Each structure stands twice: as structure tokens, then as C-alpha cells.
Amino acid sequence: MSRLRAALTPYALIFPGGLWLAIFFVVPMIVMLSLSLQSGSVEDGYAFTFNWHSYADGLANYHDQIIRSLLYGLASTALQIAIGFPVAYWIAFKGGSRKSVYLFLLLLPFLVSFVLRTISWQFLLSDNGILLGPLKDIGLLPDGFRVLATPFAVIAGLAYNFLPFMVLPMYVALERIDPRVLEAAQDLYASRFQTFLRVVLPLSLPGVFAGVLMTFVPATSDYVNASVLGGTNTTMIGNVIQNQYLVTQDYPTASALSFTLMALLLVGIFVYARALGTEDVLEVAAR
Amino acid sequence: MTEIQAGPGAAVTAAPVSGAVPAIELDNVVKEYVSHGEVVRAVKGVSLAITEGEFFSLLGPSGCGKTTSMRMIAGFEDPTQGIVRLHGEDVTNVPPNKRDINMVFQSYALFPHMNVWDNVAFGLKRKKVADAEIKRRVGEILEVVDLVGREKRRPKEMSGGQQQRVALARALVNRPRALLLDEPLGALDLKLRQAMQIELKRIQREVGITFVYVTHDQSEALTMSDRIAVMNDGLVEQLAEPREIYERPAGKFVAGFIGTSNLLSGTVQQVVGDTAVLALGANDRILVPAGGELAAGATVDLTVRPEKIKIAKDRPEGDLSVVRGTVSEVVYLGTSNSYVVALGDGAEITVFEQNAHDSTITAERGDTVWLSWQSWHSYALR
């Protein structure tokens, strides 16, 4: 009896989550997959035709937005590493007894809703707002200068919005490094820079790897930043999909684009994991 | 300046071999920390000179300043005051990566992302040694520590004893002029620890460099060291050879910390020849070598090692220290029996009796027994 119970316990534990995912993830996926292979219009109704034309049309019409999304996702991820790594490093090694306070401060803006945060950025960056207005008044910037509606605004917004998901895993990896290992490197004639390069950096890579996974995907498929901070030339694929669903109501195209994006991200992640996620990277870094 | 002394042991600090420059020298070194707004003096003025090629131990309880002293030698801590010299050269402000000494860390601190070979080669690569030379020297040292064939293993794939030897190889491969070891055997189990003690001693003889060994384990220090500095509360209590430290401890602390000792005290009744006589009761007396220092009326603290004391049912004859007491504990230890005997005045004396003959015990719990020892086995503490 107790053996049976022990055998069933793992399944009992996975059951609620599994059921949840089955209802709210797997079922909609199947529905969407079927939608993407249907033809018709909102007025006449849709019929399942097993026709791939939605995919072909989507790629033909929106490949610019897809490529732009991938580039913005990459750029914002790179920006997050550049900004986040020093922050994670500082908290892990210089945070002392206040580490949890600093981590809380890092997360504090995220108690405000995602959309509201982005709108406040719009307010900050507006053409004559509190940031650019004074600079234009004293003549430091030309009157026509703007940040909003530029790729920079969208990429910066993406970087800002996903930063904690980059910093936290990097912090965890850095925090786990035994300070005595760093002393050992110094003892073995490594300068501070060499210690960083040969020991700290390779040991933090798993954190960077996890951070990239957690931020690149949502940044690439995001539509809020592009619609609030961007303009007509910064439309991302997320905006196209949203528009197709809610405005044009071309469900097959929207679904096809969603699956195309998902496939691209999956391939990208797989290649990335194969290239970086193995221990070979650490071996190379150790040289 | 003069009030900062290296403790009671400073006066008997054995001078380095005549004329030779000491390998490592601490000159009146003080280390203060600020912790929670309070100044903590971890090291309160330590002076020592470690001779080239010596196996030197810093021994003491946790918090005595031994690790801090070692970290100042390595360069991980800057002394608040005082000078650190390596082979006569002032290195007080030289960073650790510029000091020609290496350290074996407590819990080893191996690079977890590197295999054994890369761990060991790390120092040589930083010193830009030629590849062929690195290959030869790493191969050589792995042979010394018996790790040939394990070059590709990661630290986490190895046992504690193997990691320990990687740590040793990683330091020794650089041929440092001195090797610092911070409780390197602390994480190993007893059997392995004893094997590694012998191993360490062999390696030290083989490579012939100065070893500075930090430990809180007195038997470890006694077994391996040429000389020991016993530290307590930021000061060196005694600096001497193991035998000297065991036989002639320089104070209550050392006597209590090294081995088992019986601490007794009494007043000198008379001095006969070179022997002071302390009377404890009608039939009891303790004989102590007077050494020209003890006079009648002086109060003496003294120590007697448990293995020097004889236990008997009858009062022994002769010029011996003799005390009477009641057995309060008998412990069978295999190679010996241990008795705890309560004296009339409440003091307790521990006695070891070798199980040389048949394993009959001399006395049972509750028996009245006589304890005796030669006068020269009483050691007066200053």
C-alpha cells in the first residue's frame, strides 16, 4: 500500500500543474495550429483547408518585422548584459550584509505594472518632456531631436523591462563563487584582471546563459515597448500579430506568424544552448 | 612600542640558524579589524622568524590569530602595524600575486571549472612559463602527489583526499620559496588525515622548501613540525620544538592546550638541595625542581603529564612526589587505562597506565590509591 502510494506521489505532485498546462497551453496551441491552416474571412467564417498559404503570406509580408524583432531582442539582451553584469557583480561581491536590500531595490520598479512602467518611460522620453525639454531649452540639443519612436527607445525600453530577469541569474552564479577561489587565483600570480577573466567570468557564464534565455525570448516577442515607445518604423512582429488578431481579425495569418516566431526562437535557443550551454565553454575559458 | 610584546614565549624564541636570513619574518605584527563599529585586535603583536627549509606550525584554538597571521604572510591581509619580510625583503605592501610563496587553502579552493591539469598549470601559465616546461613540471608534480592518469578530472569528481593533493600540487608546481598550509587536513577523516600527515612530511623532505602549517590540532602539530608557535588570544605563548613544548610548556595555557596535563598548585614549605617541597596534607608532598628560583613561602603552579604518574594501592617509598586520592573514573582505552583521581582538596589528577602486562586494572572506582612521580616530572609554570 505504502509502496503504491510512494510510486503515485510524483504523479500526484505534477497533476495540478500538468492539468493547468494542458488546459491553458496545449489546447490553445492546438486550436491556433488548426487556425493557422484555415482559410476564409471573418464575415464568411473560416474553414479548415490544410493550406500553408498563411505562413507563406506572413513571411512574405512581414519578414522585415521578424528580422527587426530578432535584432531588437539581441540588442536589448546585449544591453542588459552590459548594464546588468556590473550590477550583479557589485551586489554579489560588494553587497556585504545588505545584499537582499539591493536585490529588493532592483525588483522594486517591478511592483508597478509592465504597461504603466513603459508609459512612464514615454512620459520621460517625450519630445519636450522633463528629460529632453530642459536640454533643448539651454540649446544642448537641437529642437528636432527626439528619442521616442526611434529604435533606441524601443531597445532601451526592452532592456529596462527585462533587466531583473538578467541580473538575478547572473547574481546567483556570482554569489556562489567561493571568495577563497579568487584568493587562490591571486595567490597563483593572477592579477585582478586575470582573476576576473580566468575565474570570475567563466564561473558566471551559467548565470549569463540563463539570463539570456529568460530575457531574449520575451524581448523578441514583446509588443508593448514598440507600441508605446516606438513609431511606424520600429514595428515588431508582436505588434503585427496583435494587430492581425484584434484589429484585422485575420486569425490564420496571426496564428501562422505566431508559430513562425515560435519556431525561429526554438531553433535559436537550441543552437545557442548547443554552442554555449555545454561545459566545453568552460574548458575553453579555462585556458 | 615596547609594551607590545610577543607574549611570554618571546623571550625563548629560538633564533634563526646563525647568520642565515630567515625565510619568513613577522616583526611585531598587529592586525586590527573594525567589526560592527568595534575594533577587534586579531593579532596583538607577533614576532617570529621561520628558518629556510623548516616545517613550522602555528598552533592554537580558533580565534587565536593563527590564520590571520598566515594571511598576512600570504598578503591577503595588510598588517595594521609591523613588518612582514620574506627572505629579508620587506613585503608588507606587496600584493599576494607578487609574493614568491603559495598557499594551500582550507577546503582547497580549487577552480571548479578547470580539470586537474589546468588547476595545477594555472600558476605557471600566469608566470608565462614556456608550454614545454609547463608540461614537464605539471607532469612531474602530479607524479609526486600520485595523481597521474587523473589529469582530466574535475575537482567535484574527486574525493577529499585527491582534491587535497591537487591543491598541494597546484601550489608546489610553482616551486615557491615557502608553502603556507591553512588547516589543509581539517576536512579529511581520521585515517586519511594520518596518512596525509606522513605524506606531507615526505613531500616536504622531497622538495625541501619551508612549510608554514596552521592547525588547531595539537597532535598534528607535534607529529609534523620542526618548531611550533603556540598562539592564544592574538599572541605567541611559546615558540619551541615539539618536545620542548610538550615537556616544558611555557605557562598554563600551553600546558592545558598541548596534550592532557594535570595542573596543581601549592606553597613551598622548604627547599632541600635543589628540590622544593610542597606539602598538601599529612602524608602528601609534591617535589619540584627548585631551579634556584623557588624559596620557602612561594606559591607554585605546576603541571604533571598523566603518563609520568604511577598509580598504586600502597604508599610508595623513596624520594618521590606522593599524593593520596580516591578513584572517581576508570576508562579503558585499549593501549592504556585512564584513571581520574580526586584529591582531598577537590583537585583532580588524570593518570595513564600502559596496558603492558595483562589487562588487569590496578584500582576500581571508589578505591583509595597513591599516586607518585619523580621530582623532575613536576614542571613549575612561570
Side-chain angles (χ1 to χ4, degrees), chain A residues 175-230:
Chain A
E175 151 75 4
R176 277 174 53 191
I177 299 176
D178 180 354
R180 274 179 298 211
V181 169
L182 306 185
E183 286 186 347
Q186 266 189 290
D187 186 63
L188 295 162
Y189 320 112
S191 63
R192 280 175 185 280
F193 176 69
Q194 283 171 327
T195 303
F196 177 79
L197 199 67
R198 305 282 172 187
V199 183
V200 178
L201 198 58
L203 288 176
S204 71
L205 278 186
V208 178
F209 177 81
V212 169
L213 277 188
M214 290 174 72
T215 58
F216 174 69
V217 173
T220 303
S221 47
D222 181 70
Y223 66 93
V224 173
N225 283 277
S227 63
V228 176
L229 302 174

Side-chain angles (χ1 to χ4, degrees), chain B residues 125-261:
Chain B
K125 283 181 184 166
R126 301 291 85 73
K127 283 210 285 194
K128 304 242 178 342
V129 174
D131 281 354
E133 171 85 354
I134 292 179
K135 217 173 162 196
R136 194 176 60 74
R137 275 165 69 172
V138 172
E140 252 173 40
I141 202 73
L142 288 179
E143 221 160 283
V144 173
V145 298
D146 197 20
L147 281 173
V148 176
R150 305 227 149 91
E151 291 86 352
K152 294 285 165 218
R153 294 269 182 96
R154 289 287 183 83
K156 62 166 183 266
E157 298 162 356
M158 309 182 84
S159 70
Q162 288 171 331
Q163 292 185 34
Q164 158 75 68
R165 285 180 288 167
V166 176
L168 204 58
R170 185 177 70 170
L172 284 173
V173 75
N174 305 296
R175 299 187 184 146
R177 295 189 69 177
L179 185 70
L180 311 178
L181 302 104
D182 185 8
E183 309 237 9
L185 307 183
L188 306 180
D189 62 55
L190 183 66
K191 268 263 160 68
L192 196 54
R193 194 155 71 224
Q194 286 168 343
M196 281 305 294
Q197 285 175 10
I198 296 165
E199 189 72 3
L200 270 179
K201 200 61 193 160
R202 175 184 70 78
I203 289 170
Q204 197 244 348
R205 268 198 306 274
E206 229 162 84
V207 296
I209 59 176
T210 314
F211 273 38
V212 182
Y213 195 94
V214 161
T215 182
H216 66 269
D217 183 333
Q218 42 107 3
S219 75
E220 206 167 277
L222 289 175
T223 317
M224 296 197 283
S225 316
D226 294 320
R227 283 193 306 156
I228 301 172
V230 184
M231 290 188 69
N232 182 37
D233 196 23
L235 292 169
V236 173
E237 293 275 344
Q238 187 171 16
L239 197 170
E241 293 174 6
R243 183 176 294 272
E244 170 95 6
I245 282 183
Y246 187 78
E247 301 286 347
R248 286 188 285 281
K252 272 190 182 173
F253 175 80
V254 179
F257 190 73
I258 309 288
T260 311
S261 344

Side-chain angles (χ1 to χ4, degrees), chain A residues 50-90:
Chain A
F50 204 76
N51 193 327
W52 294 85
H53 73 86
S54 294
Y55 286 87
D57 293 351
L59 273 175
N61 293 331
Y62 300 111
H63 61 269
D64 281 350
Q65 283 83 349
I66 291 176
I67 290 166
R68 186 182 293 136
S69 295
L70 292 171
L71 288 177
Y72 283 11
L74 280 175
S76 73
T77 304
L79 192 60
Q80 287 176 71
I81 295 174
I83 297 171
F85 195 92
V87 174
Y89 183 92
W90 188 84

Side-chain angles (χ1 to χ4, degrees), chain A residues 76 79 114 118 121 152-162 225 229:
Chain A
S76 73
L79 192 60
F114 183 71
T118 313
W121 262 55
F152 174 77
V154 179
I155 292 167
L158 287 170
Y160 163 70
N161 273 314
F162 297 109
N225 283 277
L229 302 174

